[in-house]
Amino acid sequence: MSLWPYSTFLLLFLMLASSNGAFGNNAANKLILQLKTLQRTQQSNNQSCYSQKSRSENGAIVLEMKHKDYCFGSTGDMNRKLQKQLVVDYIRVRSIQANIRRIIFGKVEALSQTKIPITSGVKLHTLNYIVTVTLGGRNVTVIVDTGSDLTWVQCQPCRLCYNQPEPLFNPSVSTNYQSVACNSAACQSLQSATGNSGLCGNDLTKCNYVVSYGDGSYTKGELGQDHLVLGSTSVNNFVFGCGRNNKGLFGLASGLMGLGKSNLSLISQTTGIFGGVFSYCLPSVEAKSSGSLVFGGDTSVLKNSTPISYTRMVANPQLFSFYFLNLTGASIGGVTIQDSAFGKSGIIIDSGTVITRLPPTIYKAVKAEFLKQFSGYRLAQGFSILDTCFNLSAYEEVSIPTIKMQFEGGVEMEVDVTGVLYFVKSDASQVCLALASLQYEDEIGIIGNYQQKNTRVIYDIKQSRVGFAKETCNF
């Protein structure tokens, strides 16, 4: 300690004193982030994320969920992943905004309990969280995305497939697999689910699909149906995409689980079983950390530490598939952010986008207040979408102001301590405020998964509401 500069020692003393309530009510609005602990866990991860566990509890199926970006690779790989994740997240959000403009201005037509472990995973458009389910009698590890509708996996025979550790799904060895006909309701639903109509060639017994993403990634194949098992719950005749031509940033997962609101999404296809309700708790980046994906409305199986508060979903007929909420306010370290843009347009909550995007005027006010409270640290160069960065490599821990988002009905979601700052470099020499600005005021904001960590988020489509509660994610 004698080697530390006096100013650094004094600063740490003041922060620790503040966190222990030495300065009145400030303690309730501060969080302690253990920097060195995070660095060690990020550098030591080398675990497999496949074949996640599941369990049945009080009629619910619980699927284990993990973050795959932290399952493989060296420290050098971690820096590359952390930085690439931001670049690809930018591409995903630009794609979402472009699709929204196309739908709105192009006037395109609108778009029992099971708990499964969730693991944060390799990116498909920076989609990070994966679960394992059983399709056609074999396990498949898929990325969870509330911003997509069609569930799909890579299939044999495959004309173009990216590498995946698991064997490709082979419909010819499944006794229950059937092609979906071109004149079926499922084929007709592709337009609203994917933005592209079903493609029918000379063989009318097959319906072909195409899903394109903003970065040039895509999946093409045929619609099929087979027996799906979530934990111990069976779903007969589940419609999904059998991808035979797939290219892009899909990581190492076998495919994608679509949890949007269109007729083809998994949650819509299982409404009769789960009542249109699912929830998740997204784990943080610590080694062996796992969360859960739960299907069904029985909250007794959840491990939330605070009561669930519900806010209504905002109806948007043109963008039906997305989950919209009304963001009415925000606070930084207990200080209310004043901006006239709050409550004027809906904000999307999305499990696939990483970093939360705010309208420019709101972001500017949030950034100013955060810098006012998080002062005295060396600034660092911004990276990609993040422009408020610090060099914290000299500290073992720092005291950071709380970030809270308020929604219609007085509902509040407090961002977990691990969701406030983003490590661009794992040695903490470049750590940034994990929020970003939209390019234009008329774009739609998005609540990303980085700010949803260690929070139970409940989607109740039947009652058109979303619930929040604190929870330390642990399968």
Side-chain angles (χ1 to χ4, degrees), residues 173-193:
V173 301
S174 173
T175 58
N176 296 308
Y177 181 86
Q178 292 182 351
S179 297
V180 172
C182 210
N183 62 354
S184 66
C187 189
Q188 303 304 313
S189 296
L190 277 172
Q191 175 66 57
S192 61

Side-chain angles (χ1 to χ4, degrees), residues 186-350:
C187 189
Q188 303 304 313
S189 296
L190 277 172
Q191 175 66 57
S192 61
T194 67
N196 298 308
S197 300
L199 304 175
C200 302
N202 296 327
D203 186 358
L204 297 181
T205 63
K206 294 184 179 181
C207 174
N208 297 310
Y209 77 90
V210 177
V211 182
S212 301
Y213 303 95
D215 63 346
S217 301
Y218 60 82
T219 174
K220 302 177 183 179
E222 68 176 48
L223 280 190
Q225 57 184 26
D226 208 329
H227 188 68
L228 174 70
V229 179
L230 303 170
S232 61
T233 298
S234 297
V235 182
N236 295 320
N237 302 317
F238 177 71
V239 177
F240 66 100
C242 199
R244 304 188 189 279
N245 192 334
N246 316 292
K247 181 180 179 181
L249 300 172
F250 299 107
L252 302 174
S254 297
L256 178 144
M257 176 189 288
L259 291 176
K261 292 194 293 182
S262 84
N263 291 338
L264 283 185
S265 75
L266 187 149
I267 194 64
S268 294
Q269 290 192 56
T270 59
T271 297
I273 303 173
F274 305 121
V277 181
F278 71 95
S279 70
Y280 54 66
C281 188
L282 303 179
S284 55
V285 302
E286 288 86 1
K288 300 181 180 179
S289 178
S290 62
S292 62
L293 173 63
V294 182
F295 290 100
D298 186 351
T299 58
S300 66
V301 304
L302 307 180
K303 300 179 181 179
N304 49 295
S305 57
T306 61
I308 301 169
S309 298
Y310 289 94
T311 184
R312 75 176 180 94
M313 293 182 191
V314 176
N316 191 320
Q318 287 181 296
L319 302 170
F320 172 78
S321 189
F322 291 106
Y323 296 98
F324 277 87
L325 305 177
N326 185 12
L327 181 66
T328 58
S331 67
I332 304 295
V335 176
T336 300
I337 302 300
Q338 303 290 341
D339 194 275
S340 59
F342 284 119
K344 286 192 173 180
S345 61
I347 189 168
I348 296 170
I349 181 167
D350 182 29

Side-chain angles (χ1 to χ4, degrees), residues 53 55 57-58 60 62-64 115-117 279-281 290-294 298-308 454-458 468-475:
K53 297 173 287 186
R55 70 174 184 268
E57 183 180 339
N58 296 338
V62 183
L63 304 183
E64 184 184 15
K115 188 176 176 183
I116 308 174
S279 70
Y280 54 66
C281 188
S290 62
S292 62
L293 173 63
V294 182
D298 186 351
T299 58
S300 66
V301 304
L302 307 180
K303 300 179 181 179
N304 49 295
S305 57
T306 61
I308 301 169
N454 286 322
T455 299
R456 175 61 60 176
V457 184
I458 302 100
F468 299 99
K470 286 186 178 181
E471 180 175 336
T472 301
C473 299
N474 183 10
F475 173 71

